[in-house]
Amino acid sequence: MTQRVALITGGIGGIGTAICQRMANDGMRVIAAHHPAEDEAAAEWRANQAADGFDIEILSLDVSSYDECAEKLGQLLSDYGSVDVIVNCAGITRDSSFKKMQKNQWYDVINVNLNSVFNVTQPLWNAMLENGFGRIVNISSVNGQRGQFGQANYSAAKAGMHGFTMALAQEGAAKGVTVNTVSPGYVATAMTDAIREDVRDAIVAGIPMGRMASVAEVASAVHFLVGESHGYITGANLPVNGGLFIS
């Protein structure tokens, strides 16, 4: 079987790194996309991954720019012949109560978290249909399902990601291309570690499992959905939230 090629946006972040490593362990050729402002950090990240035995490529990419995605992903497709797996994991937060939210806080989050899913997926979509195989996984959030105070922008973007998933799943189904969503709850990363301890304790107290997810548990959900033998699952939203929200 030809080696599958996987593109993971937000690939050098905490969750992104775990997904990249899991895809590499699955025998895929992995490309981690990162923001151009992170070029230096990404080069260091790649060296660290290599030291740990993971051969992962990096790609400097502003996912909020349609033109840049069209150009660079078109070239990626030409270089690799196919991109079989897309994991849309890039995301930012710009939290604020709605009455204080500035225009840039809204648009920055929508552009990076939601518009990026269109920007990254569209340049690779037709080739997936033509190849008769594709796996797309969009990393949403529990807050796209239940909402969260101070995150009208983030919750809207994350809910929109799954709307995109459900619609595109119907377009890809007959051609062997699946589109699914993974919606993590609170995950133990450098970002959540930076939360004040008493606030973090209160968050954990509200999770039925009594702990945050590990990044490996989120990566495991992605691994399941991109598996060769799981081609009958499409349009689904797989929650990884420890019982925090059950629909």
Side-chain angles (χ1 to χ4, degrees), residues 46-82:
R46 186 186 183 195
N48 290 336
Q49 296 307 306
D52 290 337
F54 299 101
D55 181 17
I56 300 171
E57 301 293 324
I58 53 175
L59 175 67
S60 181
L61 184 70
D62 180 359
V63 296
S64 69
S65 168
Y66 177 81
D67 290 341
E68 184 171 329
C69 287
E71 177 188 351
K72 290 190 174 181
L73 298 182
Q75 185 60 53
L76 189 73
L77 199 54
S78 177
D79 291 344
Y80 287 88
S82 70

Side-chain angles (χ1 to χ4, degrees), residues 135 226-232:
R135 298 284 187 268
V226 304
E228 299 276 345
S229 59
H230 299 149
Y232 206 63

Side-chain angles (χ1 to χ4, degrees), residues 184-243:
Y186 288 96
V187 182
T189 64
M191 186 181 297
T192 52
D193 286 346
I195 297 172
R196 205 175 69 215
E197 186 175 2
D198 61 319
V199 175
R200 194 167 64 246
D201 289 346
I203 289 169
V204 170
I207 301 170
M209 283 194 179
R211 65 175 178 86
M212 294 189 185
S214 70
V215 291
E217 287 172 316
V218 179
S220 183
V222 176
H223 156 82
F224 171 75
L225 291 171
V226 304
E228 299 276 345
S229 59
H230 299 149
Y232 206 63
I233 302 170
T234 196
N237 189 0
L238 184 57
V240 185
N241 65 41

Side-chain angles (χ1 to χ4, degrees), residues 54-184:
F54 299 101
D55 181 17
I56 300 171
E57 301 293 324
I58 53 175
L59 175 67
S60 181
L61 184 70
D62 180 359
V63 296
S64 69
S65 168
Y66 177 81
D67 290 341
E68 184 171 329
C69 287
E71 177 188 351
K72 290 190 174 181
L73 298 182
Q75 185 60 53
L76 189 73
L77 199 54
S78 177
D79 291 344
Y80 287 88
S82 70
V83 176
D84 309 289
V85 174
I86 303 169
V87 182
N88 286 303
C89 188
I92 61 170
T93 56
R94 298 288 185 269
D95 295 354
S96 169
S97 64
F98 191 67
K99 68 180 181 180
K100 295 180 180 178
M101 187 172 287
Q102 302 298 307
K103 181 175 73 172
N104 65 296
Q105 291 176 296
W106 175 269
Y107 283 105
D108 287 351
V109 169
I110 296 297
N111 285 334
V112 173
N113 294 28
L114 180 57
N115 290 342
S116 66
V117 179
F118 171 80
N119 297 341
V120 171
T121 305
Q122 211 212 25
L124 304 171
W125 177 251
N126 286 346
M128 283 186 168
L129 298 179
E130 290 166 7
N131 292 339
F133 180 89
R135 298 284 187 268
I136 299 169
V137 179
N138 300 314
I139 307 299
S140 180
S141 166
V142 65
N143 290 341
Q145 298 177 284
R146 66 173 192 165
Q148 176 64 33
F149 182 95
Q151 287 195 328
N153 49 3
Y154 185 82
S155 297
K158 292 300 188 180
M161 289 177 81
H162 187 56
F164 175 89
T165 287
M166 293 188 291
L168 201 61
Q170 296 182 53
E171 295 189 32
K175 297 292 187 179
V177 180
T178 68
V179 190
N180 291 291
T181 299
V182 170
S183 290

